[in-house]
Structures are given as structure tokens and as C-alpha cells.
Amino acid sequence: MPAVNDYVLEVQKIFREKEMHVDVDISGNTMQKKIRSGQLQQYNFIFVVGAQEKESRTVNIRNRDDQSTQAKGELIPLDVALEKLSALRDKREVLNAI
């Protein structure tokens, strides 16, 4: 969705400033295909960002190891997501649940 690409790139910039690796897919593929591609590439976390997330400045996070997060779940405010992932990175735990 080209309308939200600016928000996607903003989220990428925010997380990269905190020294986190972030890839984005702003191709013309459907959202389902983008999500499936991320799953096949075995990303630990997939942020699903669309128009609803842009309006509320939130993200929808899917965790590779938690099947309950594979459907659309709760929207997490961007600053809370950043805080939780930073804490997870700093703890260096084996379990990657946020």
C-alpha cells in the first residue's frame, strides 16, 4: 500500500536508530504475500503495518515462535514496541517473547 510507505520507512528509521536490524517490504505484492514471504525467511518478528496502524501510530507484531500472534492481534503503540524489543535485546534471553 503506497499510502503507508512513508510510515513504514519512518518505523524502520526509528528502530535502526536504536541499532536494530529492520527490513521492509514496500513492493507491490499483496499484504498476505508480504507476510508469507517474511515467514518463509524466518524473521523472529514481523511488523504488519497498514492504514489502520498508520492512523494510530501503532504496529501489529507477529512472533515467529508464538502461533497465537499469527492472526491480526492487538495494535501496540510504536514507543511501547520499541521499548519491549530493546529490553528483549538487552536481556539476550533464549525465549523471544515480548
Side-chain angles (χ1 to χ4, degrees):
M1 294 170 41
V4 298
N5 286 352
D6 56 337
Y7 180 60
V8 170
L9 295 173
E10 178 185 347
V11 169
Q12 179 187 35
K13 180 182 176 193
I14 290 169
F15 277 85
R16 283 195 172 167
E17 286 174 353
K18 296 292 183 179
E19 299 178 1
M20 293 186 192
H21 180 73
V22 178
D23 288 335
V24 297
D25 184 354
I26 53 175
S27 65
N29 294 330
T30 64
M31 187 67 79
Q32 289 178 332
K33 184 160 183 143
K34 292 176 184 183
I35 293 169
R36 181 67 181 143
S37 175
Q39 290 171 335
L40 291 174
Q41 293 177 18
Q42 297 280 316
Y43 284 106
N44 289 334
F45 298 100
I46 299 173
F47 283 33
V48 181
V49 179
Q52 183 180 4
E53 289 82 5
K54 179 182 179 181
E55 289 174 14
S56 59
R57 296 207 40 88
T58 58
V59 291
N60 181 354
I61 302 176
R62 295 176 181 224
N63 184 337
R64 178 185 70 191
D65 299 330
D66 185 1
Q67 292 301 315
S68 67
T69 64
Q70 297 306 311
K72 181 171 177 153
E74 65 178 291
L75 299 178
I76 301 172
L78 188 57
D79 55 340
V80 173
L82 183 61
E83 180 181 311
K84 287 184 177 184
L85 286 172
S86 294
L88 180 66
R89 178 195 60 199
D90 295 341
K91 288 181 187 176
R92 301 184 60 91
E93 291 182 4
V94 175
L95 182 63
N96 67 353
I98 57 170

